[in-house]
Amino acid sequence: MTFDDTFDRVKTRSSKWTAMETGFGLTGDDLLAMWVADMDFRAPDFLTDATRGLAQAGDYGYFNHVDSYFEAVAWWAATRHGWEIEPGWITPAASLGNAIAFAIQTWSRPGDGVAILTPVYHEFAKKIRKNKRVITELPLLAEHGRFTLDFGRYDALMCGTEKILILSSPHNPGGRVWSREELRAIADFARRHDLVLISDEVHNDLILPGFTHVPTALAAPDAAPRLVTMTSASKTFSIAGSRLGAVIIGDEVLRRQFADTVSRADLAPNLLGVALSRAAFTPEGAAWLDALIPYLAGNFEVFRTGMGRIPGVDVHRLEGTYLAWVDFTGTGMTDAELWARATEQARVVPSPGPAFGTGGSGGLRFNLGTQRARIDEAVGRLGRAFADLQ
Ligand SMILES: Cc1ncc(COP(=O)(O)O)c(C=O)c1O
């Protein structure tokens, strides 16, 4: 298999390719889906073999090998990220979306504040609101084609009711890989305001050449008594449908509190998730990932070169993730006009910037986790849709 092989995800009923009507009211076979954060590659053989193994065994009953998942997560954290963890620090959750909701429920009450660094993964805000907590937005600065932290403003923006800060590291949608110093500053801020720091590291393996992801736990060891790290194989291997994530907590008190929420919901990992994640967090998985990264870097170069030709458009450098942020504010267009040009003229469907909160206006997020031919096609179409600016 090569990453260039075509793969029809309409047939597999993927959300990315078949939910654009429910998501945005968009219909038509010509639409190019570049929104939902999963990739368009057929699963590699070691994952298909794992599911085949399950089918051949013919036993889908209750099972007793979740420990092997914890060991695989710990092996991966040590070998890929230099982070030694105990398998016993892990509590499983049904996806990281689920883990974030449980974290909000564990460490805050209705009416409490939860801080987020915006623009950020839109589901953080949705989950805070659905759980009847209040969002405190700490906007990032967009400077020279990258988002940076703006600590000069953050203390004054806090209301005093906040109990939690949720961080996306690497950052979705900005594609930033936070440095050790930035992570330390975030951990310091959490300590000053006595917040539980949720470090959502779901994109931690998708790091472009020249950058290194540092787990928050390593950048800020002092934060351990307030730190909750979340990882998963779901983005790296595009297995989000198997709904499994790892919540890694070194601190015993926090771990017990989180495990209690999970236990009250009677939640336990599912068989498919364990089989796929176990097969992913292996040397075969590492070799596949090592081949994927240069492909994604190549996609970004094609995208950046093409989009960079449109006057007033600033493509943020992709340091990590496969989600490229494009700042169109220099074009002077409204969000409605940008959206219309992308989706109606170019028939390309990115994620709308305003969905990511304050600082998202004037931007669009494009998912580059797809075949190179689709990136070429998208860049060509978008170039034509904005051709009057040239
Ligand atoms: C930062 C971040 N956290 C969590 C998730 C959701 O992960 P999961 O599929 O494990 O719920 C996403 C998906 O895009 C994400 O970008």
Side-chain angles (χ1 to χ4, degrees):
M1 175 215 143
T2 79
F3 297 109
D4 283 323
D5 291 348
T6 51
F7 181 44
D8 182 1
R9 299 191 68 214
V10 173
K11 281 205 191 105
T12 61
R13 304 279 310 268
S14 80
S15 303
K16 185 183 187 178
W17 288 92
T18 64
M20 288 178 277
E21 183 168 9
T22 37
F24 305 115
L26 295 166
T27 52
D29 293 344
D30 58 339
L31 288 169
L32 257 183
M34 300 182 85
W35 60 307
V36 174
D38 64 11
M39 297 189 282
D40 290 331
F41 311 118
R42 177 188 278 283
D45 287 349
F46 55 89
L47 296 182
T48 304
D49 289 346
T51 51
R52 197 176 286 122
L54 270 186
Q56 272 164 357
D59 181 353
Y60 305 110
Y62 297 119
F63 61 101
N64 183 26
H65 54 70
V66 178
D67 283 359
S68 63
Y69 166 63
F70 301 153
E71 279 152 22
V73 171
W75 179 81
W76 190 261
T79 55
R80 297 297 294 192
H81 301 290
W83 184 27
E84 301 287 341
I85 62 169
E86 300 284 334
W89 293 357
I90 301 168
T91 308
S95 81
L96 290 200
N98 168 243
I100 289 158
F102 276 172
I104 292 168
Q105 290 162 16
T106 304
W107 291 297
S108 67
R109 292 165 175 264
D112 284 344
V114 179
I116 51 176
L117 294 151
T118 63
V120 75
Y121 175 51
H122 58 288
E123 280 291 335
F124 289 175
K126 275 198 188 164
K127 287 183 177 33
I128 296 167
R129 276 197 208 100
K130 279 186 190 163
N131 282 285
K132 306 206 166 15
R133 275 65 166 174
V134 181
I135 300 166
T136 296
E137 288 192 326
L138 307 175
L140 298 166
L141 262 180
E143 276 188 322
H144 314 298
R146 71 208 289 258
F147 286 112
T148 54
L149 298 159
D150 193 8
F151 277 108
R153 292 181 63 200
Y154 295 162
D155 285 326
L157 289 171
M158 295 293 278
C159 305
T161 58
E162 294 83 358
K163 298 287 186 293
I164 299 173
L165 169 64
I166 312 179
L167 168 71
S168 172
S169 177
H171 188 73
N172 168 13
R176 279 296 319 282
V177 173
W178 302 116
S179 68
R180 237 172 234 280
E181 292 68 34
E182 286 171 316
L183 292 168
R184 261 194 227 122
I186 292 167
D188 259 10
F189 180 81
R191 182 186 42 74
R192 275 206 312 284
H193 292 275
D194 195 18
L195 308 173
V196 173
L197 175 57
I198 310 292
S199 187
D200 174 344
E201 301 186 16
V202 74
H203 297 280
N204 60 0
D205 295 314
L206 299 159
I207 306 299
L208 273 75
F211 298 90
T212 305
H213 168 78
V214 184
T216 303
L218 289 185
D222 294 357
R226 59 181 70 255
L227 181 64
V228 174
T229 303
M230 300 181 176
T231 68
S232 167
S234 69
K235 297 290 157 197
T236 311
F237 297 94
S238 232
I239 56 170
S242 68
R243 310 289 292 168
L244 181 61
V247 181
I248 306 168
I249 310 178
D251 182 81
E252 208 181 314
V253 174
L254 289 182
R255 189 163 66 239
R256 238 185 288 123
Q257 290 167 337
F258 188 79
D260 185 48
T261 304
V262 172
S263 151
R264 273 185 281 127
D266 194 16
L267 188 87
N270 73 81
L271 189 63
L272 177 69
V274 170
L276 285 175
S277 292
R278 254 186 2 179
F281 289 149
T282 56
E284 288 93 330
W288 181 85
L289 174 59
D290 287 341
L292 171 71
I293 295 294
Y295 191 84
L296 293 178
N299 279 0
F300 177 65
E301 277 319 306
V302 169
F303 184 76
R304 175 159 77 160
T305 307
M307 295 300 286
R309 291 197 190 104
I310 305 173
V313 166
D314 190 4
V315 181
H316 281 209
R317 176 165 189 98
L318 193 68
E319 300 176 353
T321 82
Y322 44 72
L323 305 165
W325 183 258
V326 183
D327 181 349
F328 288 83
T329 47
T331 65
M333 291 183 193
T334 62
D335 286 310
E337 189 174 356
L338 288 175
W339 186 249
R341 289 212 185 204
T343 62
E344 287 166 28
Q345 283 180 243
R347 308 291 287 158
V348 171
V349 184
S351 298
F356 300 101
T358 297
S361 181
L364 294 172
R365 188 196 76 178
F366 293 84
N367 180 340
L368 307 185
T370 194
Q371 287 74 19
R372 182 76 42 85
R374 284 204 172 112
I375 304 287
D376 284 329
E377 177 68 24
V379 164
R381 290 191 197 182
L382 288 160
R384 288 190 288 283
F386 289 90
D388 55 322
L389 301 181
Q390 314 265 347

